[in-house]
Amino acid sequence: MTQTLNRKKAPAIIDTASLHLSLPPYRHFKLNNGVDVYAIHGGTQDVFQAEWVFYAGNSYETSNNVAPATNNLLKNGTKKHSAFELNEQFEYYGAYLTRACYNETAVINLSGLNKHLESLLPVVRELITEAVFPEEELAIFTQNAKQRLLVNLKKCDYVANRLIDAQLYGEAHPYGKYSRAEDYDALTAEQLRQFYQTYYQEGKCVLFLAGLLPDNLELLLNNYFGDLPLKGAAPEKVYPLAPAAQKKSRIQNDPDGVQGAIRLARPFPNRHHPDFQKVQVLNNVFGGFFGSRLMSNIREDKGYTYGIYSYIQNHIGDTAWAISTEAGTGVCEATVQEVYKEMNILREELIDDEELQLVRNFMMGSLLGDLDGPFQVMSRWKNIILNNLDEAYFNRSIEVIKTISAQELRDLAQKYLVDEDFYEMVVV
């Protein structure tokens, strides 16, 4: 019998910091050609999500924008079908296929009804093996990308984002380089075909699948992808950092601008550093959620901005601790000073028990949300696997959230929240 919900009675409050959270396991197997597959069978709806992750991000390109252009045009024509015909096939089965290109990786993401999975796999295989990159499709891509760039360059937040990364890593580093119109004009279909052959047809690929998956999943994947000449390892790419000597920049991008984009950032170790997980807690106190110090002071008290956040950049290699907001032009400098003021307080004073418990609850609640369903669980696993970590990393993060002390957080603030270490960028 279904119990009627009494809406006049508030539900019991659960202390999320007391919850025992664990990451549900995945199934791992290799295809005949050595490609790793990670799968989670679960959920209540007849749907699946599959992601082919290639080591084909902009870290591997030799000319700007070759990697994202190749990824974008995978679906714009093969030896057998035009872009229109390929789109019709996915639409016929009610499936949704997207592509995305990041610093190290590029992905093909497919979601749909699980009863159509076997019909859709050969179409994805066709994209991986027979894409042709027609000249006319490249011309359309170039025209649209340049138009989008022209519009974005008028936005102070877009300009600030690309310049602060260039200052942190250097323009020649994959994390710091940015697009120019002439980069798009220089793209050729032959460049894309060569990149495609090296990093898609014969590159390293990892598959992640989640949802109500069929019993014969391994057989299906082997039938369509187990014979491809994919490799088990990606080529090593090492890029030296070339940070800017000048740490404070003020840029007038729009003479009529009424709002400025503020970015502060400092270099920071990646996930393998022992301080990384502890600093995630400190970051939440500082500016990681709506109840943070930065939000309480600069939005709620001063009214300088609609929102201000701090975060650790999601990079696999070198990374950074950053603060991001937009504020009225008249209060940009005051906002920067208030950020430094909050850093100073964290360096000087211990966080009280009530605030620390609030942050523990927020972080545990966020983790709980990330474990709600097979797609979310696989997304968490994918992040761990692609960063060469394991389940112990997830368990350690929970232990840190539950046990880190106010003294440890103050020590970390004294180590990392140092004014002189931060690059400043204000773009109006």
Side-chain angles (χ1 to χ4, degrees):
M1 179 183 291
T2 304
Q3 188 176 3
T4 303
L5 185 65
N6 182 359
R7 298 186 182 280
K8 294 182 179 178
K9 183 180 178 183
I13 295 175
I14 298 174
D15 181 3
T16 54
S18 67
L19 294 175
H20 174 71
L21 299 182
S22 61
L23 202 51
Y26 56 76
R27 178 188 170 206
H28 173 241
F29 57 89
K30 286 181 179 288
L31 302 184
N32 294 338
N33 53 3
V35 168
D36 287 298
V37 179
Y38 301 89
I40 292 177
H41 175 75
T44 57
Q45 304 297 318
D46 295 329
V47 294
F48 73 92
Q49 188 174 78
E51 195 161 59
W52 289 256
V53 177
F54 294 89
Y55 284 75
N58 61 16
S59 295
Y60 299 97
E61 66 188 12
T62 53
S63 300
N64 262 11
N65 296 328
V66 169
T70 303
N71 179 263
N72 189 282
L73 293 175
L74 281 173
K75 206 175 72 164
N76 288 45
T78 66
K79 293 176 182 176
K80 297 173 185 169
H81 298 97
S82 66
F84 178 79
E85 291 168 335
L86 289 166
N87 282 323
E88 274 203 322
Q89 291 199 51
F90 291 112
E91 288 179 9
Y92 177 79
Y93 291 109
Y96 187 61
L97 184 132
T98 59
R99 289 89 66 226
C101 184
Y102 306 105
N103 290 310
E104 282 83 10
T105 60
V107 303
I108 299 173
N109 188 302
L110 175 69
S111 52
L113 297 173
N114 56 2
K115 65 182 178 182
H116 296 317
L117 176 61
E118 186 169 1
S119 302
L120 291 162
L121 290 180
V123 190
V124 176
R125 176 190 168 98
E126 192 176 324
L127 302 184
I128 297 172
T129 59
E130 298 184 56
V132 293
F133 305 97
E135 299 279 358
E136 59 274 20
E137 294 289 343
L138 175 59
I140 294 170
F141 168 82
T142 300
Q143 182 181 15
N144 291 342
K146 286 168 60 179
Q147 183 61 37
R148 198 161 46 244
L149 177 65
L150 190 64
V151 173
N152 284 333
L153 285 175
K154 295 177 181 175
K155 301 174 182 175
C156 60
D157 57 337
Y158 180 86
V159 173
N161 284 339
R162 59 196 238 149
L163 292 183
I164 192 70
D165 285 344
Q167 285 200 324
L168 278 168
Y169 304 106
E171 285 189 48
H173 193 284
Y175 300 167
K177 64 183 178 182
Y178 49 79
S179 303
R180 296 180 174 86
E182 54 266 34
D183 296 331
Y184 290 111
D185 288 331
L187 287 173
T188 68
E190 187 54 33
Q191 281 179 313
L192 272 54
R193 291 175 191 131
Q194 288 180 5
F195 190 84
Y196 171 69
Q197 180 182 352
T198 303
Y199 296 106
Y200 286 88
Q201 292 177 314
E202 300 172 9
K204 179 183 179 181
C205 178
V206 184
L207 268 71
F208 297 91
L209 297 101
L212 285 180
L213 304 174
D215 295 336
N216 62 342
L217 178 67
E218 189 168 346
L219 177 64
L220 279 178
L221 295 176
N222 257 320
N223 285 344
Y224 292 107
F225 306 102
D227 63 329
L228 301 182
L230 297 166
K231 298 181 177 66
E236 286 287 333
K237 294 281 185 181
V238 178
Y239 291 91
L241 294 171
Q246 175 65 36
K247 287 193 170 181
K248 298 181 187 297
S249 300
R250 302 292 185 268
I251 294 174
Q252 185 76 44
N253 186 60
D254 179 1
D256 301 320
V258 295
Q259 182 170 272
I262 300 167
R263 302 290 184 270
L264 286 85
R266 59 151 296 155
F268 193 74
N270 67 15
R271 287 175 176 79
H272 293 268
H273 193 279
D275 286 344
F276 188 91
Q277 290 171 310
K278 294 177 181 178
V279 164
Q280 292 285 9
V281 181
L282 177 61
N283 177 63
N284 274 284
V285 175
F286 180 45
F289 75 122
F290 202 77
S292 69
R293 298 279 183 97
L294 293 181
M295 194 71 89
S296 298
N297 176 3
I298 297 171
R299 172 194 153 94
E300 301 298 328
D301 185 27
K302 303 295 188 304
Y304 291 164
T305 179
Y306 287 117
I308 179 168
Y309 288 95
S310 64
Y311 54 93
I312 311 295
Q313 289 185 340
N314 189 30
H315 293 325
I316 291 176
D318 304 296
T319 189
W321 194 351
I323 299 105
S324 170
T325 189
E326 282 76 49
T329 52
V331 294
C332 282
E333 296 303 329
T335 300
V336 172
Q337 293 311 309
E338 289 299 322
V339 171
Y340 287 130
K341 176 184 165 185
E342 293 300 331
M343 288 186 191
N344 182 59
I345 294 172
L346 287 169
R347 289 196 303 268
E348 298 293 328
E349 300 176 7
L350 290 175
I351 300 162
D352 66 43
D353 292 342
E354 183 179 358
E355 184 180 12
L356 185 52
Q357 189 60 36
L358 174 68
V359 170
R360 291 191 211 278
N361 283 333
F362 167 75
M363 295 183 73
M364 290 294 288
S366 297
L367 278 174
L368 191 62
D370 286 350
L371 303 181
D372 185 19
F375 296 170
Q376 287 80 3
V377 172
M378 182 49 82
S379 177
R380 175 67 66 167
W381 270 120
K382 188 178 72 172
N383 198 32
I384 290 173
I385 292 166
L386 293 181
N387 279 281
N388 296 316
L389 297 164
D390 56 22
E391 188 177 6
Y393 179 83
F394 177 82
N395 295 333
R396 172 67 180 153
S397 68
I398 293 174
E399 182 187 343
V400 167
I401 294 168
K402 289 182 175 181
T403 62
I404 193 166
S405 68
Q407 181 64 55
E408 286 179 283
L409 292 171
R410 186 169 69 176
D411 292 344
L412 289 168
Q414 291 171 353
K415 185 176 180 181
Y416 292 109
L417 292 180
V418 179
D419 302 11
E420 297 75 25
D421 293 341
F422 278 79
Y423 286 80
E424 280 179 32
M425 172 73 62
V426 178
V427 179
V428 175

